[in-house]
Amino acid sequence: MRRGHRRARGRQHRLTRPLNPAAPGAVPRPGRSCRAGSGGSHRGRSLGGRPLVLLPGGGATSAIWAANVEALGETHRIHAVDLLGEAGRSAARGTAVRNVDDLMSWLDDLFDQLGLESADLCGHSYGAWIALHHAVRSPRVRRLALLDPTGCFTKWNPRYLLRALPMLLRPSPRRTRDFLRWETGGAAFDPAQLELLARAATFRREKVISGPGPDPTRLSAPTLVVGAARSKVHDADRLIAEARRAIPAVRTEVLPCTSHHAIPWHDAERLNAVLADFLS
């Protein structure tokens, strides 16, 4: 984890080296510093395949995709990225991100530094919110996959926000573990993933960019929206209905036994099959 932004002229980020996708539990390693790049980048086996950029949810890192990168890497060149301002390897060394425009500039720079003229883009939760913003603005997004997106089609469940409030006001590993166990309904968390998410709570996060929301009616890229039937963040049926209303040609799926924070590791085989079919 980084300790925060360093002040310097311009904005810089850290770009990491690709990893061996066959290595179990592989996580991004620090690499070279560049003008504007990415955080963790995990490349799949298909080095000649189409690029796929993965954005995690808030409070998570690129390691959250451990159950997905090998399967998706059979056909795609995977770039699993840590979000700027969150725990992980992405580190801005200039002006802190202040608004949506700054986030979009970061993603544009990320594509440039990875040499991507275009790419498929997939995000979970807050990462889906960022991905939708980018797809609305940029023609470089070939296909867009949104996994239980927040703030895109539906409002937050007040009960979820109330339960999350102590963790948000005074974050700690214990509160994070308790909250995740509540939201996932006691689903069997991988111990390493749970500990990583819990420790990320001690990271001094930058300001979370929360508005304005993206306008999905302006999308031109083919889009998949995946809901989590047991999500406590919002109602999955309403999420799917609103996505279909906003994007008539959208493809939708619901994972029947999965909660919001259990994506993308729980029932990963089903999710990987849905993503592989959509992205093919």
Side-chain angles (χ1 to χ4, degrees):
M1 296 182 187
R2 61 185 180 82
R3 295 184 179 178
H5 294 329
R6 298 188 205 174
R7 295 291 176 181
R9 293 185 63 186
R11 180 177 290 115
Q12 292 183 324
H13 313 288
R14 185 174 297 281
L15 182 64
T16 66
R17 294 187 294 270
L19 305 176
N20 174 7
V27 294
R29 296 180 180 274
R32 66 183 185 276
S33 178
C34 60
R35 171 64 181 169
S38 78
S41 179
H42 185 138
R43 290 191 182 179
R45 292 177 179 176
S46 180
L47 296 181
R50 288 190 305 272
L52 170 61
V53 176
L54 302 174
L55 302 180
T61 70
S62 55
I64 200 71
W65 303 101
N68 316 98
V69 291
E70 186 167 3
L72 298 176
E74 294 291 339
T75 55
H76 281 73
R77 187 169 72 255
I78 306 298
H79 300 281
V81 178
D82 295 325
L83 298 181
L84 201 61
E86 300 275 356
R89 300 291 188 180
S90 288
R93 294 193 174 184
T95 306
V97 172
R98 298 160 298 184
N99 50 44
V100 172
D101 289 340
D102 287 345
L103 272 178
M104 297 304 101
S105 294
W106 167 65
L107 267 180
D108 280 333
D109 291 340
L110 167 70
F111 275 51
D112 290 341
Q113 290 296 323
L114 294 175
L116 308 180
E117 292 186 8
S118 65
D120 295 334
L121 184 59
C122 174
H124 169 232
S125 189
Y126 180 52
W129 185 88
I130 296 172
L132 178 54
H133 259 298
H134 192 62
V136 166
R137 297 184 180 209
S138 174
R140 302 170 79 174
V141 177
R142 177 183 172 273
R143 285 179 175 266
L144 176 68
L146 306 174
L147 309 183
D148 216 40
T150 52
C152 298
F153 303 100
T154 57
K155 295 182 178 180
W156 296 78
N157 182 341
R159 181 169 174 256
Y160 172 89
L161 294 177
L162 186 63
R163 186 68 181 248
L165 196 59
M167 178 188 67
L168 297 174
L169 292 177
R170 297 184 64 185
S172 71
R174 179 184 62 80
R175 284 178 173 156
T176 298
R177 291 188 197 97
D178 290 347
F179 177 77
L180 291 173
R181 288 175 178 138
W182 167 78
E183 200 283 328
T184 59
F189 248 108
D190 176 90
Q193 288 284 11
L194 180 59
E195 188 60 24
L196 184 59
L197 290 167
R199 292 190 182 190
T202 64
F203 176 79
R204 190 186 61 168
R205 299 173 69 182
E206 300 295 336
K207 172 186 175 182
V208 176
I209 308 303
S210 58
D215 181 2
T217 64
R218 295 173 51 203
L219 273 174
S220 58
T223 301
L224 166 71
V225 175
V226 176
R230 297 183 180 179
S231 174
K232 293 184 174 72
V233 174
H234 44 223
D235 180 83
D237 291 337
R238 180 173 295 179
L239 169 70
I240 296 302
E242 290 300 316
R244 289 173 174 167
R245 183 189 63 79
I247 314 168
V250 70
R251 174 173 167 177
T252 59
E253 298 281 348
V254 175
L255 301 178
C257 301
T258 303
S259 72
H260 179 80
H261 289 289
I263 290 177
W265 53 269
H266 186 262
D267 203 6
E269 186 175 352
R270 182 193 296 263
L271 175 61
N272 292 340
V274 169
L275 287 172
D277 182 62
F278 171 71
L279 297 171
S280 63

